[in-house]
Amino acid sequence: MHPIDLAVVGAYVAAMLGVGIVVSRRIHGFRDYFVAAGRLTAPLLVCTLVSTYYGLDVLFGNSEVSYLEGVVGFFGYTRPYYIVILVAALVVARKLQGHGFLSLPDVAAHYYGRGTRVVVAIASAFYSLPLISVMGIGILLDVMAGVPFPVGVVVGAAVSVVYTLLGGLMADALTDTLQFVLMCITLGIAAALTLRELGGMEGLQAVLPATYFDPMGTYPAWVLVVFAGSALSALIEPAFYQRIFAAVSYRAVLVALLIGIALWAAYDWVATVLGMAAAARGLEVEPRYALLTVVVDVLPVGLTGLFVAGALAAAMSTIDSYLLIAGGNLAYDIYRPLFRPDMDDASTLRLTRWMIVVSAGACVVFALFFQSVVSAWIFMSTVLVASALVPLLFALYAPWQPRPAAGLASSLAGLGVAIAYYALVTVLGADDPEWGTRIWTVDVGGLTLSLWQDYAMLFALPASAIGYAVGHRAGRPAATDAGRGVESGTVPAEARAPEEETR
Amino acid sequence: MSGWDLFTWSAIVVLVAGSIAVFAWFLGAAGELLRNGRDEGDQR
């Protein structure tokens, strides 16, 4: 990288840390730290939602698919998310905002009690490990500075931990605003320059096979079903819930999500086009490196640094948000209810910070395990969707009273089957270089089945639904305290929103 | 200009102009956010 580019990147990192240090002085307790004391306004929500959801996972995951397959990266892989996010904004957010919850497991605890809370918290913590963004920093440092991938992963995680520990959600949201603008503008400029060089989309059409412009691509249908299924994670997205609970009002959530969907769609399409541009230029690179390689080739000095800062911004805005959630899940949703229900606010805050460090360590281990950004993302979505989607949707919309046994059986069955399936395919399957995943080929009565690693959700989600049905039939309604939920006192008194005290 | 081109350039415009507009909106509302934070800090 040119010294000017390095200076731009250095200035960006310094600015982020500066904001974090200033805001960290306003942290007085767990609620300040974890949900910014419920002070997130609509513009702040737009910035933090868009930049948190869209880290390097989307940038590299989407371009990985489009580099190999074309526009299906947009139509098959990312488009289902907008539909699910719209449903989440119109239906789920309205139902949950203003209840005084602090996390997704808080919601599970309210309807099903402590057992389901812990299972959902484990899945949420695992889902929230920002391993794809950490992988993204590893890729970035590898391509830009020649740093070996494992070293880049460790450096990325270490820098992000320091940054996350500083200021909690408010610092996160404020820095997200700068990161949001940086990543959108640099990606837009990179796309414009790349298209100009390649003769626009018509130039791409002249070089790439016609299948690259088929919205369904050449993926097997089941893979597209899995892509759409992983979009269901938006209904139970821990970062989404955290921001609902941190918003000043439901209206702010709704406005932020509607604007966010337009920006997400634009971002996705631009990343898709850049992946295709890498294929059109005949670049022979690992698919996950495609976008970065083409952008570096096209951008001039100065703008390259700005793009790297934008890509770092995309990664850091995701890493800080999700490490915060993972740490909160481990400390507030698992340790506190299981081992120290009377833990005070200051101790919860301190333990959360320690758990953020633990989460970052786990993140590095997983980042070095997965080869494909898309495979890693689908696995994490599967774990969360399989354990939390069914119990949560039944709790919110079924006409009958939730039963603790139903929630616990559903979440355990989903989580167990998802992990068992991955373990089976990992042990008995083989790597498939064509699709960049692991496939277990099984002969059943003369019929050959190709079980992709990514199909886990097709088994885990029905298992979760069956678990719910069995638990509901076998269990009894919980004795609740005048509708206050199964596990009253879910939120520590000092952490609750002021208005909840008077409810 | 083909439909794909139109779609792509529209996405680039939405991405760049939209993010700048949202950032400007945030800056406009930042004063209120800071005031709220300060008031809350004063009450503690």
Side-chain angles (χ1 to χ4, degrees), chain A residues 26 28 32 37 39 43-44 180-181 184 195 201-202 205 263 266 269, chain B residues 2 4-5 7-8 11 14-15 19 22-23 26 33 37-38 40 44:
Chain A
R26 291 171 179 247
H28 300 286
D32 284 347
R39 293 205 309 265
L44 206 49
F180 158 80
V181 178
C184 289
L195 280 178
M201 292 301 283
E202 286 171 1
Q205 279 178 297
L263 290 165
W269 180 250
Chain B
S2 70
W4 290 116
D5 271 311
F7 191 48
T8 303
V14 167
L15 194 62
S19 60
V22 170
F23 190 61
F26 160 74
L33 186 75
R38 203 174 298 130
E40 201 163 291
R44 285 173 197 273

PDB file of all heavy atoms in Angstrom, chain A residues 26 28 32 37 39 43-44 180-181 184 195 201-202 205 263 266 269, chain B residues 2 4-5 7-8 11 14-15 19 22-23 26 33 37-38 40 44:
ATOM      1  N   ARG A  26     -19.323   8.099  29.524  1.00  0.00           N
ATOM      2  CA  ARG A  26     -20.737   8.233  29.889  1.00  0.00           C
ATOM      3  C   ARG A  26     -21.364   6.918  30.330  1.00  0.00           C
ATOM      4  O   ARG A  26     -22.559   6.849  30.559  1.00  0.00           O
ATOM      5  CB  ARG A  26     -21.531   8.781  28.706  1.00  0.00           C
ATOM      6  CG  ARG A  26     -21.201  10.220  28.381  1.00  0.00           C
ATOM      7  CD  ARG A  26     -21.849  10.633  27.089  1.00  0.00           C
ATOM      8  NE  ARG A  26     -21.546  12.028  26.805  1.00  0.00           N
ATOM      9  CZ  ARG A  26     -22.451  13.006  26.802  1.00  0.00           C
ATOM     10  NH1 ARG A  26     -23.699  12.754  27.066  1.00  0.00           N
ATOM     11  NH2 ARG A  26     -22.104  14.240  26.536  1.00  0.00           N
ATOM     12  N   HIS A  28     -22.451   4.304  32.792  1.00  0.00           N
ATOM     13  CA  HIS A  28     -22.615   4.230  34.249  1.00  0.00           C
ATOM     14  C   HIS A  28     -23.144   2.880  34.706  1.00  0.00           C
ATOM     15  O   HIS A  28     -23.171   2.596  35.893  1.00  0.00           O
ATOM     16  CB  HIS A  28     -23.574   5.329  34.714  1.00  0.00           C
ATOM     17  CG  HIS A  28     -23.088   6.707  34.378  1.00  0.00           C
ATOM     18  ND1 HIS A  28     -22.061   7.311  35.049  1.00  0.00           N
ATOM     19  CD2 HIS A  28     -23.471   7.574  33.407  1.00  0.00           C
ATOM     20  CE1 HIS A  28     -21.837   8.524  34.525  1.00  0.00           C
ATOM     21  NE2 HIS A  28     -22.680   8.696  33.518  1.00  0.00           N
ATOM     22  N   ASP A  32     -26.747   1.251  30.218  1.00  0.00           N
ATOM     23  CA  ASP A  32     -26.028   2.260  29.418  1.00  0.00           C
ATOM     24  C   ASP A  32     -25.148   1.558  28.392  1.00  0.00           C
ATOM     25  O   ASP A  32     -25.073   1.944  27.234  1.00  0.00           O
ATOM     26  CB  ASP A  32     -25.096   3.104  30.308  1.00  0.00           C
ATOM     27  CG  ASP A  32     -25.870   4.125  31.115  1.00  0.00           C
ATOM     28  OD1 ASP A  32     -27.046   4.337  30.820  1.00  0.00           O
ATOM     29  OD2 ASP A  32     -25.274   4.676  32.062  1.00  0.00           O
ATOM     30  N   ALA A  37     -29.040   2.914  27.079  1.00  0.00           N
ATOM     31  CA  ALA A  37     -30.097   3.527  27.907  1.00  0.00           C
ATOM     32  C   ALA A  37     -31.350   3.873  27.091  1.00  0.00           C
ATOM     33  O   ALA A  37     -32.099   4.764  27.444  1.00  0.00           O
ATOM     34  CB  ALA A  37     -29.569   4.756  28.642  1.00  0.00           C
ATOM     35  N   ARG A  39     -31.688   5.271  24.065  1.00  0.00           N
ATOM     36  CA  ARG A  39     -31.660   6.625  23.520  1.00  0.00           C
ATOM     37  C   ARG A  39     -31.399   6.682  22.007  1.00  0.00           C
ATOM     38  O   ARG A  39     -31.110   7.743  21.471  1.00  0.00           O
ATOM     39  CB  ARG A  39     -30.574   7.453  24.228  1.00  0.00           C
ATOM     40  CG  ARG A  39     -30.841   7.725  25.672  1.00  0.00           C
ATOM     41  CD  ARG A  39     -30.117   8.991  26.128  1.00  0.00           C
ATOM     42  NE  ARG A  39     -28.716   8.993  25.786  1.00  0.00           N
ATOM     43  CZ  ARG A  39     -27.753   8.597  26.595  1.00  0.00           C
ATOM     44  NH1 ARG A  39     -28.047   8.139  27.787  1.00  0.00           N
ATOM     45  NH2 ARG A  39     -26.494   8.658  26.227  1.00  0.00           N
ATOM     46  N   PRO A  43     -32.221   8.419  12.901  1.00  0.00           N
ATOM     47  CA  PRO A  43     -31.023   8.447  12.046  1.00  0.00           C
ATOM     48  C   PRO A  43     -29.881   7.603  12.597  1.00  0.00           C
ATOM     49  O   PRO A  43     -29.157   6.950  11.839  1.00  0.00           O
ATOM     50  CB  PRO A  43     -30.634   9.931  12.008  1.00  0.00           C
ATOM     51  CG  PRO A  43     -31.360  10.574  13.120  1.00  0.00           C
ATOM     52  CD  PRO A  43     -32.589   9.765  13.367  1.00  0.00           C
ATOM     53  N   LEU A  44     -29.744   7.601  13.920  1.00  0.00           N
ATOM     54  CA  LEU A  44     -28.703   6.783  14.534  1.00  0.00           C
ATOM     55  C   LEU A  44     -29.001   5.297  14.307  1.00  0.00           C
ATOM     56  O   LEU A  44     -28.104   4.488  14.041  1.00  0.00           O
ATOM     57  CB  LEU A  44     -28.653   7.087  16.033  1.00  0.00           C
ATOM     58  CG  LEU A  44     -27.344   6.859  16.790  1.00  0.00           C
ATOM     59  CD1 LEU A  44     -26.175   7.483  16.081  1.00  0.00           C
ATOM     60  CD2 LEU A  44     -27.464   7.393  18.200  1.00  0.00           C
ATOM     61  N   PHE A 180     -20.624   3.833   8.518  1.00  0.00           N
ATOM     62  CA  PHE A 180     -21.708   3.653   7.552  1.00  0.00           C
ATOM     63  C   PHE A 180     -21.468   4.498   6.294  1.00  0.00           C
ATOM     64  O   PHE A 180     -21.512   3.992   5.166  1.00  0.00           O
ATOM     65  CB  PHE A 180     -23.011   4.050   8.261  1.00  0.00           C
ATOM     66  CG  PHE A 180     -24.149   4.431   7.372  1.00  0.00           C
ATOM     67  CD1 PHE A 180     -24.922   3.465   6.757  1.00  0.00           C
ATOM     68  CD2 PHE A 180     -24.480   5.759   7.180  1.00  0.00           C
ATOM     69  CE1 PHE A 180     -25.989   3.811   5.955  1.00  0.00           C
ATOM     70  CE2 PHE A 180     -25.533   6.117   6.380  1.00  0.00           C
ATOM     71  CZ  PHE A 180     -26.294   5.139   5.759  1.00  0.00           C
ATOM     72  N   VAL A 181     -21.169   5.764   6.484  1.00  0.00           N
ATOM     73  CA  VAL A 181     -20.956   6.660   5.344  1.00  0.00           C
ATOM     74  C   VAL A 181     -19.715   6.246   4.564  1.00  0.00           C
ATOM     75  O   VAL A 181     -19.722   6.167   3.333  1.00  0.00           O
ATOM     76  CB  VAL A 181     -20.804   8.120   5.825  1.00  0.00           C
ATOM     77  CG1 VAL A 181     -20.538   9.045   4.660  1.00  0.00           C
ATOM     78  CG2 VAL A 181     -22.054   8.557   6.538  1.00  0.00           C
ATOM     79  N   CYS A 184     -20.307   3.000   2.502  1.00  0.00           N
ATOM     80  CA  CYS A 184     -21.234   3.172   1.373  1.00  0.00           C
ATOM     81  C   CYS A 184     -20.567   3.978   0.252  1.00  0.00           C
ATOM     82  O   CYS A 184     -20.638   3.607  -0.928  1.00  0.00           O
ATOM     83  CB  CYS A 184     -22.502   3.888   1.820  1.00  0.00           C
ATOM     84  SG  CYS A 184     -23.563   2.877   2.853  1.00  0.00           S
ATOM     85  N   LEU A 195     -16.946  -0.214 -13.320  1.00  0.00           N
ATOM     86  CA  LEU A 195     -17.876  -0.313 -14.442  1.00  0.00           C
ATOM     87  C   LEU A 195     -17.392   0.524 -15.632  1.00  0.00           C
ATOM     88  O   LEU A 195     -17.502   0.108 -16.784  1.00  0.00           O
ATOM     89  CB  LEU A 195     -19.268   0.153 -14.013  1.00  0.00           C
ATOM     90  CG  LEU A 195     -20.091  -0.884 -13.241  1.00  0.00           C
ATOM     91  CD1 LEU A 195     -21.419  -0.293 -12.820  1.00  0.00           C
ATOM     92  CD2 LEU A 195     -20.325  -2.135 -14.088  1.00  0.00           C
ATOM     93  N   MET A 201     -22.409  -2.662 -17.587  1.00  0.00           N
ATOM     94  CA  MET A 201     -22.960  -4.017 -17.489  1.00  0.00           C
ATOM     95  C   MET A 201     -22.946  -4.708 -18.857  1.00  0.00           C
ATOM     96  O   MET A 201     -22.851  -5.933 -18.943  1.00  0.00           O
ATOM     97  CB  MET A 201     -24.385  -3.957 -16.931  1.00  0.00           C
ATOM     98  CG  MET A 201     -24.471  -3.526 -15.476  1.00  0.00           C
ATOM     99  SD  MET A 201     -23.568  -4.610 -14.349  1.00  0.00           S
ATOM    100  CE  MET A 201     -24.704  -5.982 -14.239  1.00  0.00           C
ATOM    101  N   GLU A 202     -23.061  -3.900 -19.917  1.00  0.00           N
ATOM    102  CA  GLU A 202     -23.012  -4.505 -21.256  1.00  0.00           C
ATOM    103  C   GLU A 202     -21.633  -5.120 -21.507  1.00  0.00           C
ATOM    104  O   GLU A 202     -21.510  -6.166 -22.153  1.00  0.00           O
ATOM    105  CB  GLU A 202     -23.361  -3.465 -22.314  1.00  0.00           C
ATOM    106  CG  GLU A 202     -24.849  -3.153 -22.332  1.00  0.00           C
ATOM    107  CD  GLU A 202     -25.208  -1.964 -23.223  1.00  0.00           C
ATOM    108  OE1 GLU A 202     -24.292  -1.395 -23.846  1.00  0.00           O
ATOM    109  OE2 GLU A 202     -26.395  -1.613 -23.262  1.00  0.00           O
ATOM    110  N   GLN A 205     -21.698  -8.415 -19.798  1.00  0.00           N
ATOM    111  CA  GLN A 205     -22.505  -9.384 -20.547  1.00  0.00           C
ATOM    112  C   GLN A 205     -21.731  -9.946 -21.745  1.00  0.00           C
ATOM    113  O   GLN A 205     -21.921 -11.096 -22.132  1.00  0.00           O
ATOM    114  CB  GLN A 205     -23.804  -8.729 -21.033  1.00  0.00           C
ATOM    115  CG  GLN A 205     -24.867  -8.668 -19.926  1.00  0.00           C
ATOM    116  CD  GLN A 205     -26.132  -7.981 -20.393  1.00  0.00           C
ATOM    117  OE1 GLN A 205     -26.123  -6.799 -20.732  1.00  0.00           O
ATOM    118  NE2 GLN A 205     -27.222  -8.729 -20.420  1.00  0.00           N
ATOM    119  N   LEU A 263     -31.053   0.945   1.348  1.00  0.00           N
ATOM    120  CA  LEU A 263     -29.588   1.021   1.322  1.00  0.00           C
ATOM    121  C   LEU A 263     -28.944  -0.366   1.243  1.00  0.00           C
ATOM    122  O   LEU A 263     -27.958  -0.569   0.540  1.00  0.00           O
ATOM    123  CB  LEU A 263     -29.085   1.770   2.558  1.00  0.00           C
ATOM    124  CG  LEU A 263     -29.398   3.268   2.550  1.00  0.00           C
ATOM    125  CD1 LEU A 263     -29.202   3.875   3.928  1.00  0.00           C
ATOM    126  CD2 LEU A 263     -28.504   3.990   1.544  1.00  0.00           C
ATOM    127  N   ALA A 266     -29.148  -1.632  -2.319  1.00  0.00           N
ATOM    128  CA  ALA A 266     -28.157  -0.970  -3.177  1.00  0.00           C
ATOM    129  C   ALA A 266     -26.762  -1.536  -2.908  1.00  0.00           C
ATOM    130  O   ALA A 266     -25.997  -1.834  -3.836  1.00  0.00           O
ATOM    131  CB  ALA A 266     -28.185   0.538  -2.921  1.00  0.00           C
ATOM    132  N   TRP A 269     -26.403  -5.089  -4.334  1.00  0.00           N
ATOM    133  CA  TRP A 269     -26.293  -5.153  -5.787  1.00  0.00           C
ATOM    134  C   TRP A 269     -24.911  -4.703  -6.249  1.00  0.00           C
ATOM    135  O   TRP A 269     -24.297  -5.309  -7.123  1.00  0.00           O
ATOM    136  CB  TRP A 269     -27.395  -4.326  -6.461  1.00  0.00           C
ATOM    137  CG  TRP A 269     -27.280  -4.391  -7.949  1.00  0.00           C
ATOM    138  CD1 TRP A 269     -26.919  -3.408  -8.803  1.00  0.00           C
ATOM    139  CD2 TRP A 269     -27.489  -5.561  -8.762  1.00  0.00           C
ATOM    140  NE1 TRP A 269     -26.886  -3.867 -10.097  1.00  0.00           N
ATOM    141  CE2 TRP A 269     -27.235  -5.196 -10.091  1.00  0.00           C
ATOM    142  CE3 TRP A 269     -27.868  -6.885  -8.479  1.00  0.00           C
ATOM    143  CZ2 TRP A 269     -27.342  -6.094 -11.156  1.00  0.00           C
ATOM    144  CZ3 TRP A 269     -27.972  -7.777  -9.535  1.00  0.00           C
ATOM    145  CH2 TRP A 269     -27.713  -7.378 -10.851  1.00  0.00           C
TER     146      TRP A 269
ATOM    147  N   SER B   2     -28.753  -0.433 -21.013  1.00  0.00           N
ATOM    148  CA  SER B   2     -29.598  -1.608 -20.763  1.00  0.00           C
ATOM    149  C   SER B   2     -30.260  -1.509 -19.384  1.00  0.00           C
ATOM    150  O   SER B   2     -29.892  -0.665 -18.551  1.00  0.00           O
ATOM    151  CB  SER B   2     -28.747  -2.868 -20.813  1.00  0.00           C
ATOM    152  OG  SER B   2     -27.898  -2.911 -19.684  1.00  0.00           O
ATOM    153  N   TRP B   4     -29.949  -3.640 -16.989  1.00  0.00           N
ATOM    154  CA  TRP B   4     -28.952  -3.959 -15.958  1.00  0.00           C
ATOM    155  C   TRP B   4     -28.141  -2.718 -15.601  1.00  0.00           C
ATOM    156  O   TRP B   4     -27.837  -2.471 -14.435  1.00  0.00           O
ATOM    157  CB  TRP B   4     -27.991  -5.049 -16.476  1.00  0.00           C
ATOM    158  CG  TRP B   4     -28.605  -6.412 -16.619  1.00  0.00           C
ATOM    159  CD1 TRP B   4     -28.777  -7.108 -17.772  1.00  0.00           C
ATOM    160  CD2 TRP B   4     -29.104  -7.267 -15.569  1.00  0.00           C
ATOM    161  NE1 TRP B   4     -29.355  -8.328 -17.515  1.00  0.00           N
ATOM    162  CE2 TRP B   4     -29.562  -8.453 -16.167  1.00  0.00           C
ATOM    163  CE3 TRP B   4     -29.215  -7.140 -14.191  1.00  0.00           C
ATOM    164  CZ2 TRP B   4     -30.124  -9.493 -15.459  1.00  0.00           C
ATOM    165  CZ3 TRP B   4     -29.772  -8.191 -13.468  1.00  0.00           C
ATOM    166  CH2 TRP B   4     -30.214  -9.345 -14.094  1.00  0.00           C
ATOM    167  N   ASP B   5     -27.752  -1.939 -16.638  1.00  0.00           N
ATOM    168  CA  ASP B   5     -26.974  -0.718 -16.395  1.00  0.00           C
ATOM    169  C   ASP B   5     -27.769   0.272 -15.544  1.00  0.00           C
ATOM    170  O   ASP B   5     -27.258   0.868 -14.591  1.00  0.00           O
ATOM    171  CB  ASP B   5     -26.587  -0.063 -17.730  1.00  0.00           C
ATOM    172  CG  ASP B   5     -25.253  -0.596 -18.243  1.00  0.00           C
ATOM    173  OD1 ASP B   5     -24.303  -0.624 -17.460  1.00  0.00           O
ATOM    174  OD2 ASP B   5     -25.200  -0.993 -19.430  1.00  0.00           O
ATOM    175  N   PHE B   7     -30.243  -0.300 -13.527  1.00  0.00           N
ATOM    176  CA  PHE B   7     -30.387  -0.838 -12.176  1.00  0.00           C
ATOM    177  C   PHE B   7     -29.105  -0.592 -11.373  1.00  0.00           C
ATOM    178  O   PHE B   7     -29.132  -0.150 -10.212  1.00  0.00           O
ATOM    179  CB  PHE B   7     -30.700  -2.338 -12.289  1.00  0.00           C
ATOM    180  CG  PHE B   7     -31.125  -2.993 -11.008  1.00  0.00           C
ATOM    181  CD1 PHE B   7     -32.093  -2.425 -10.186  1.00  0.00           C
ATOM    182  CD2 PHE B   7     -30.565  -4.208 -10.621  1.00  0.00           C
ATOM    183  CE1 PHE B   7     -32.488  -3.045  -9.011  1.00  0.00           C
ATOM    184  CE2 PHE B   7     -30.956  -4.827  -9.448  1.00  0.00           C
ATOM    185  CZ  PHE B   7     -31.911  -4.251  -8.644  1.00  0.00           C
ATOM    186  N   THR B   8     -27.970  -0.855 -12.033  1.00  0.00           N
ATOM    187  CA  THR B   8     -26.686  -0.738 -11.323  1.00  0.00           C
ATOM    188  C   THR B   8     -26.365   0.716 -10.970  1.00  0.00           C
ATOM    189  O   THR B   8     -25.977   1.020  -9.837  1.00  0.00           O
ATOM    190  CB  THR B   8     -25.558  -1.328 -12.199  1.00  0.00           C
ATOM    191  OG1 THR B   8     -25.900  -2.678 -12.503  1.00  0.00           O
ATOM    192  CG2 THR B   8     -24.232  -1.296 -11.475  1.00  0.00           C
ATOM    193  N   ALA B  11     -28.464   1.900  -8.187  1.00  0.00           N
ATOM    194  CA  ALA B  11     -27.990   1.377  -6.890  1.00  0.00           C
ATOM    195  C   ALA B  11     -26.812   2.209  -6.385  1.00  0.00           C
ATOM    196  O   ALA B  11     -26.728   2.526  -5.189  1.00  0.00           O
ATOM    197  CB  ALA B  11     -27.586  -0.089  -7.038  1.00  0.00           C
ATOM    198  N   VAL B  14     -28.181   5.521  -5.089  1.00  0.00           N
ATOM    199  CA  VAL B  14     -28.871   5.332  -3.804  1.00  0.00           C
ATOM    200  C   VAL B  14     -27.850   5.139  -2.690  1.00  0.00           C
ATOM    201  O   VAL B  14     -27.961   5.715  -1.599  1.00  0.00           O
ATOM    202  CB  VAL B  14     -29.831   4.115  -3.868  1.00  0.00           C
ATOM    203  CG1 VAL B  14     -30.312   3.711  -2.479  1.00  0.00           C
ATOM    204  CG2 VAL B  14     -31.022   4.430  -4.760  1.00  0.00           C
ATOM    205  N   LEU B  15     -26.827   4.348  -2.975  1.00  0.00           N
ATOM    206  CA  LEU B  15     -25.818   4.043  -1.955  1.00  0.00           C
ATOM    207  C   LEU B  15     -25.062   5.302  -1.519  1.00  0.00           C
ATOM    208  O   LEU B  15     -24.927   5.575  -0.323  1.00  0.00           O
ATOM    209  CB  LEU B  15     -24.838   3.011  -2.533  1.00  0.00           C
ATOM    210  CG  LEU B  15     -23.914   2.299  -1.559  1.00  0.00           C
ATOM    211  CD1 LEU B  15     -24.698   1.488  -0.550  1.00  0.00           C
ATOM    212  CD2 LEU B  15     -22.946   1.399  -2.310  1.00  0.00           C
ATOM    213  N   SER B  19     -26.568   7.477   1.707  1.00  0.00           N
ATOM    214  CA  SER B  19     -25.775   7.452   2.939  1.00  0.00           C
ATOM    215  C   SER B  19     -25.408   8.873   3.373  1.00  0.00           C
ATOM    216  O   SER B  19     -25.401   9.184   4.571  1.00  0.00           O
ATOM    217  CB  SER B  19     -24.520   6.598   2.752  1.00  0.00           C
ATOM    218  OG  SER B  19     -23.722   7.119   1.720  1.00  0.00           O
ATOM    219  N   VAL B  22     -28.532  10.394   5.004  1.00  0.00           N
ATOM    220  CA  VAL B  22     -28.778   9.876   6.355  1.00  0.00           C
ATOM    221  C   VAL B  22     -27.772  10.456   7.345  1.00  0.00           C
ATOM    222  O   VAL B  22     -28.113  10.808   8.478  1.00  0.00           O
ATOM    223  CB  VAL B  22     -28.715   8.324   6.367  1.00  0.00           C
ATOM    224  CG1 VAL B  22     -28.721   7.795   7.794  1.00  0.00           C
ATOM    225  CG2 VAL B  22     -29.898   7.752   5.598  1.00  0.00           C
ATOM    226  N   PHE B  23     -26.515  10.599   6.904  1.00  0.00           N
ATOM    227  CA  PHE B  23     -25.497  11.169   7.787  1.00  0.00           C
ATOM    228  C   PHE B  23     -25.836  12.624   8.124  1.00  0.00           C
ATOM    229  O   PHE B  23     -25.693  13.056   9.281  1.00  0.00           O
ATOM    230  CB  PHE B  23     -24.122  11.081   7.123  1.00  0.00           C
ATOM    231  CG  PHE B  23     -22.983  11.431   8.049  1.00  0.00           C
ATOM    232  CD1 PHE B  23     -22.754  10.690   9.197  1.00  0.00           C
ATOM    233  CD2 PHE B  23     -22.144  12.495   7.776  1.00  0.00           C
ATOM    234  CE1 PHE B  23     -21.714  11.000  10.058  1.00  0.00           C
ATOM    235  CE2 PHE B  23     -21.101  12.815   8.626  1.00  0.00           C
ATOM    236  CZ  PHE B  23     -20.892  12.076   9.773  1.00  0.00           C
ATOM    237  N   PHE B  26     -28.499  12.593  10.647  1.00  0.00           N
ATOM    238  CA  PHE B  26     -27.923  12.266  11.959  1.00  0.00           C
ATOM    239  C   PHE B  26     -27.281  13.502  12.594  1.00  0.00           C
ATOM    240  O   PHE B  26     -27.493  13.792  13.771  1.00  0.00           O
ATOM    241  CB  PHE B  26     -26.891  11.145  11.824  1.00  0.00           C
ATOM    242  CG  PHE B  26     -25.942  11.079  12.988  1.00  0.00           C
ATOM    243  CD1 PHE B  26     -26.368  10.591  14.218  1.00  0.00           C
ATOM    244  CD2 PHE B  26     -24.636  11.524  12.871  1.00  0.00           C
ATOM    245  CE1 PHE B  26     -25.505  10.553  15.303  1.00  0.00           C
ATOM    246  CE2 PHE B  26     -23.771  11.486  13.944  1.00  0.00           C
ATOM    247  CZ  PHE B  26     -24.218  10.995  15.166  1.00  0.00           C
ATOM    248  N   LEU B  33     -29.537  14.502  20.772  1.00  0.00           N
ATOM    249  CA  LEU B  33     -28.999  13.299  21.409  1.00  0.00           C
ATOM    250  C   LEU B  33     -28.017  13.672  22.517  1.00  0.00           C
ATOM    251  O   LEU B  33     -28.063  13.145  23.629  1.00  0.00           O
ATOM    252  CB  LEU B  33     -28.303  12.445  20.347  1.00  0.00           C
ATOM    253  CG  LEU B  33     -27.799  11.086  20.799  1.00  0.00           C
ATOM    254  CD1 LEU B  33     -28.948  10.114  20.948  1.00  0.00           C
ATOM    255  CD2 LEU B  33     -26.781  10.538  19.829  1.00  0.00           C
ATOM    256  N   GLY B  37     -28.320  13.103  26.569  1.00  0.00           N
ATOM    257  CA  GLY B  37     -27.275  12.413  27.307  1.00  0.00           C
ATOM    258  C   GLY B  37     -26.777  13.249  28.471  1.00  0.00           C
ATOM    259  O   GLY B  37     -26.601  12.773  29.571  1.00  0.00           O
ATOM    260  N   ARG B  38     -26.615  14.593  28.207  1.00  0.00           N
ATOM    261  CA  ARG B  38     -26.118  15.488  29.250  1.00  0.00           C
ATOM    262  C   ARG B  38     -27.130  15.616  30.387  1.00  0.00           C
ATOM    263  O   ARG B  38     -26.795  15.520  31.542  1.00  0.00           O
ATOM    264  CB  ARG B  38     -25.793  16.859  28.652  1.00  0.00           C
ATOM    265  CG  ARG B  38     -24.811  17.630  29.466  1.00  0.00           C
ATOM    266  CD  ARG B  38     -24.413  18.913  28.752  1.00  0.00           C
ATOM    267  NE  ARG B  38     -23.774  18.687  27.492  1.00  0.00           N
ATOM    268  CZ  ARG B  38     -24.134  19.285  26.351  1.00  0.00           C
ATOM    269  NH1 ARG B  38     -25.130  20.153  26.335  1.00  0.00           N
ATOM    270  NH2 ARG B  38     -23.498  19.043  25.242  1.00  0.00           N
ATOM    271  N   GLU B  40     -29.387  13.461  31.253  1.00  0.00           N
ATOM    272  CA  GLU B  40     -29.432  12.226  32.017  1.00  0.00           C
ATOM    273  C   GLU B  40     -28.239  12.144  32.958  1.00  0.00           C
ATOM    274  O   GLU B  40     -28.336  11.727  34.094  1.00  0.00           O
ATOM    275  CB  GLU B  40     -29.428  11.030  31.065  1.00  0.00           C
ATOM    276  CG  GLU B  40     -29.972   9.777  31.705  1.00  0.00           C
ATOM    277  CD  GLU B  40     -30.339   8.753  30.635  1.00  0.00           C
ATOM    278  OE1 GLU B  40     -31.308   8.981  29.894  1.00  0.00           O
ATOM    279  OE2 GLU B  40     -29.636   7.745  30.561  1.00  0.00           O
ATOM    280  N   ARG B  44     -27.921  11.972  37.433  1.00  0.00           N
ATOM    281  CA  ARG B  44     -27.348  10.861  38.184  1.00  0.00           C
ATOM    282  C   ARG B  44     -26.704  11.318  39.481  1.00  0.00           C
ATOM    283  O   ARG B  44     -26.189  12.339  39.597  1.00  0.00           O
ATOM    284  CB  ARG B  44     -26.305  10.131  37.330  1.00  0.00           C
ATOM    285  CG  ARG B  44     -26.939   9.284  36.290  1.00  0.00           C
ATOM    286  CD  ARG B  44     -25.886   8.724  35.369  1.00  0.00           C
ATOM    287  NE  ARG B  44     -26.503   8.257  34.159  1.00  0.00           N
ATOM    288  CZ  ARG B  44     -27.019   7.034  33.995  1.00  0.00           C
ATOM    289  NH1 ARG B  44     -26.997   6.179  34.992  1.00  0.00           N
ATOM    290  NH2 ARG B  44     -27.567   6.671  32.857  1.00  0.00           N
TER     291      ARG B  44
END
